[in-house]
Amino acid sequence: MLRSTKMQFAGIFHYDWSSKHLNYLVIHNPPFDFVFRGSNGTFTSYGSGHNVATWLAAKLKYTYSFVLINQTLIDKYGIHEAAFYQLMNDKDIDGIASNFYVTLSRMQRMDHTTHHGWVDGFRLVVPRSEEQSRLFAFIGPFEPTVWLLVFITVLVVVAVMTLFAMIYRHHPWNGPAVAKNKTDTENGTGTNMREPVSRNVLFNYLGSHTIYVVNIMTNQGSREASSLYSFRILAGFWVLGAMVLVNSYTGIVISSLTTTKTKPSIDSLEELAASTETQVLLRHDTSIGEQILQATSGVFKVLGDKARLNPGNIVGDPFKVTEKLETGRYAFPFIKTFAMSFVSSQFQKDQRCRFKISKPLPLSTGYFFWLFKKNSSYTNVHSKPLVELWETGLTNFWVYNLFPPTAPRAEQCFVESTRRVSSRAPIQLSDLTSAFLILGIGTGLSVLSFLTELLYSRFRLYRLPLA
């Protein structure tokens, strides 16, 4: 079999092709081929497909012409299907000057070369996420449960401090211990703690202790509100716990205000299917578009159903694809080369990176071939030269280097593809367990000290008459 194939190729290349003239259909297929219509049926075309056709003609020594695709067929079928229709039904068309992904339907209708003319993976073109608002950056560092527990902790500390002060002030057997504190240090009135006080004394205690606790949390500092040991123990542990809370909070706030943080971006088909802000845009005449629209289950079906809800999101014209993508409201699945070209061209147009490309989609690598009429003798003729052309590397050069509009440079728009910074997550309650453990231990020790002081005061009260 291999020998007969070699003999067949040998016979082909010994055949004189100088008398042959091939007509190639040209289509607008960015970023590989570009076609622009002029007046009176004229057109301008350039791109890698144009160069490949020229190289093949020179290799096989035949003449060739380029024929413009019928616009009426494009409007009816989409540009790819229009090209297939014209190739199959127009006897004057011999092939298409472009590469196509081969599906079962296309194999049944047309011939394809045995060697590919291009290889590429599939990506998503998605609008770049906007920067998150910093209006409420001061809330973001902690989860709601942490904020709730901090609020409860402040109330508990203030309540315990006030309870200590009230009991020491009004307990009848605490006189000898309080006598050493000549003045009321809680409200600064200069009166003895056993003297009668106004009904607002409770609010004075609450106010002074609240200010003290808040000053410690905001790193403002404050005078010690009491010289009692139980109060000092509670205040000391509050300072330790607050130090952990404040430093954790301050670090995240500074980072939030000085580092750009964007909203979560779409990086997969599943994320696109779940998105409510970004719509899916499909070309019904491409292989991946056909797979999504014909799917009966899985994420492809979800995306196909979303596209069908808005019929305008299913197109067959690359000009319409570009027009819709530029609005920044759509994501488009296609080959990586197209994605890179579109992102770069938009950067050159707007001087900022409005779009990005996703991670590789979970699809098999696409091999793209040249198509000819069914049972055409030209198919095998072009297969071996395509192997030689691929080995020279000229195809990649023509796509990426020769035509600036095909692959303009915008490296800064692709930085995230190689260097991704993980997003900051709010601090969870489990991250601050140590701080609240310190506060719990401190509260327990302060209560124990308070009870010890009460017992000691009561013991002294009973011993005073004996003295």
Side-chain angles (χ1 to χ4, degrees):
M1 179 68 181
L2 179 62
R3 184 177 179 182
S4 64
T5 302
K6 289 183 177 179
M7 293 179 61
Q8 182 181 11
F9 275 127
I12 289 172
F13 283 104
H14 282 92
Y15 181 80
D16 183 12
W17 289 87
S18 59
S19 60
K20 295 292 184 180
H21 182 89
L22 273 66
N23 292 318
Y24 285 110
L25 198 65
V26 291
I27 62 173
H28 187 72
N29 186 35
F32 303 100
D33 306 292
F34 296 83
V35 176
F36 300 97
R37 297 176 182 271
S39 57
N40 300 322
T42 60
F43 66 93
T44 302
S45 67
Y46 60 87
S48 60
H50 187 288
N51 280 21
V52 171
T54 302
W55 189 92
L56 290 173
K59 177 72 175 178
L60 297 174
K61 297 181 175 57
Y62 61 78
T63 58
Y64 65 96
S65 299
F66 290 126
V67 179
L68 183 62
I69 189 172
N70 188 296
Q71 182 62 44
T72 303
L73 294 177
I74 294 177
D75 297 336
K76 184 177 181 180
Y77 299 112
I79 197 164
H80 283 188
E81 283 297 327
F84 302 155
Y85 182 91
Q86 195 164 346
L87 173 63
M88 292 184 295
N89 295 279
D90 190 339
K91 63 180 181 179
D92 294 328
I93 302 299
D94 300 298
I96 307 174
S98 191
N99 296 290
F100 294 91
Y101 188 85
V102 176
T103 63
L104 179 60
S105 172
R106 294 173 183 179
M107 291 176 61
Q108 292 172 345
R109 293 180 291 167
M110 296 163 288
D111 282 350
H112 65 86
T113 55
T114 57
H115 192 273
H116 55 266
W118 188 251
V119 179
D120 215 338
F122 293 92
R123 302 287 185 98
L124 283 171
V125 180
V126 296
R128 189 172 291 273
S129 301
E130 299 178 353
E131 184 178 344
Q132 285 189 351
S133 173
R134 300 178 183 178
L135 181 61
F136 298 101
F138 62 93
I139 297 178
F142 291 162
E143 282 190 336
T145 53
V146 176
W147 282 115
L148 178 61
L149 195 53
V150 168
F151 180 72
I152 293 174
T153 302
V154 170
L155 293 181
V156 170
V157 172
V158 171
V160 173
M161 288 181 174
T162 302
L163 180 64
F164 288 173
M166 293 295 292
I167 292 177
Y168 267 104
R169 183 183 187 94
H170 297 289
H171 205 284
W173 38 261
N174 197 33
V178 176
K180 295 180 180 180
N181 291 330
K182 298 295 183 181
T183 59
D184 183 357
T185 57
E186 260 60 15
N187 55 21
T189 59
T191 61
N192 187 277
M193 294 183 69
R194 292 293 303 278
E195 294 178 358
V197 294
S198 66
R199 65 180 61 183
N200 293 327
V201 67
L202 176 61
F203 296 103
N204 291 337
Y205 283 137
L206 288 174
S208 62
H209 294 149
T210 301
I211 292 174
Y212 176 78
V213 169
V214 172
N215 283 345
I216 295 299
M217 289 189 66
T218 56
N219 282 335
Q220 300 302 311
S222 180
R223 68 181 180 86
E224 189 179 14
S226 175
S227 61
L228 300 173
Y229 288 112
S230 56
F231 188 95
R232 289 180 175 181
I233 292 174
L234 180 59
F237 277 91
W238 171 247
V239 170
L240 291 176
M243 179 183 66
V244 177
L245 294 173
V246 170
N247 288 337
S248 301
Y249 176 84
T250 303
I252 296 295
V253 168
I254 293 175
S255 177
S256 299
L257 295 177
T258 57
T259 305
T260 301
K261 185 178 181 182
T262 58
K263 299 177 181 179
S265 61
I266 295 173
D267 227 11
S268 66
L269 294 175
E270 289 76 13
E271 292 173 351
L272 176 58
S275 175
T276 58
E277 296 181 359
T278 304
Q279 301 180 46
V280 58
L281 179 65
L282 297 176
R283 275 187 62 176
H284 60 76
D285 60 343
T286 61
S287 59
I288 188 171
E290 290 179 1
Q291 291 181 57
I292 293 175
L293 292 172
Q294 296 173 7
T296 58
S297 63
V299 67
F300 276 17
K301 182 180 185 304
V302 176
L303 291 174
D305 292 341
K306 288 185 66 174
R308 280 185 283 267
L309 290 176
N310 300 282
N313 294 355
I314 303 175
V315 299
D317 188 340
F319 289 105
K320 292 182 180 179
V321 171
T322 301
E323 179 183 342
K324 283 183 171 293
L325 282 177
E326 287 178 344
T327 63
R329 296 186 292 109
Y330 298 91
F332 180 57
F334 203 36
I335 57 177
K336 177 184 176 182
T337 306
F338 171 85
M340 294 178 63
S341 176
F342 179 81
V343 171
S344 299
S345 64
Q346 292 302 305
F347 173 79
Q348 288 196 341
K349 179 180 179 181
D350 303 321
Q351 295 303 307
R352 61 190 181 97
C353 296
R354 294 181 55 220
F355 300 89
K356 58 169 286 188
I357 62 176
S358 69
K359 296 178 181 178
L361 299 181
L363 300 170
S364 59
T365 301
Y367 290 85
F368 299 82
F369 301 82
W370 276 56
L371 301 180
F372 293 89
K373 287 183 181 294
K374 192 67 175 175
N375 301 321
S376 172
S377 60
Y378 299 141
T379 306
N380 288 333
V381 174
H382 290 81
S383 294
K384 186 176 180 180
L386 281 175
V387 176
E388 297 178 9
L389 177 60
W390 183 260
E391 291 174 347
T392 64
L394 283 174
T395 306
N396 285 276
F397 174 77
W398 288 332
V399 171
Y400 290 119
N401 299 93
L402 190 56
F403 296 104
T406 305
R409 296 291 178 253
E411 287 80 1
Q412 56 268 52
C413 296
F414 306 102
V415 173
E416 290 184 358
S417 298
T418 56
R419 185 182 64 188
R420 297 184 62 84
V421 179
S422 58
S423 59
R424 296 180 299 274
I427 295 179
Q428 301 177 2
L429 184 58
S430 58
D431 300 324
L432 295 174
T433 303
S434 59
F436 291 105
L437 179 62
I438 290 173
L439 293 174
I441 295 174
T443 302
L445 289 177
S446 63
V447 171
L448 180 61
S449 175
F450 174 72
L451 295 176
T452 303
E453 288 174 334
L454 288 183
L455 293 175
Y456 179 70
S457 299
R458 186 169 186 179
F459 175 74
R460 291 190 60 189
L461 180 63
Y462 285 138
R463 291 190 58 185
L464 279 178
L466 299 176

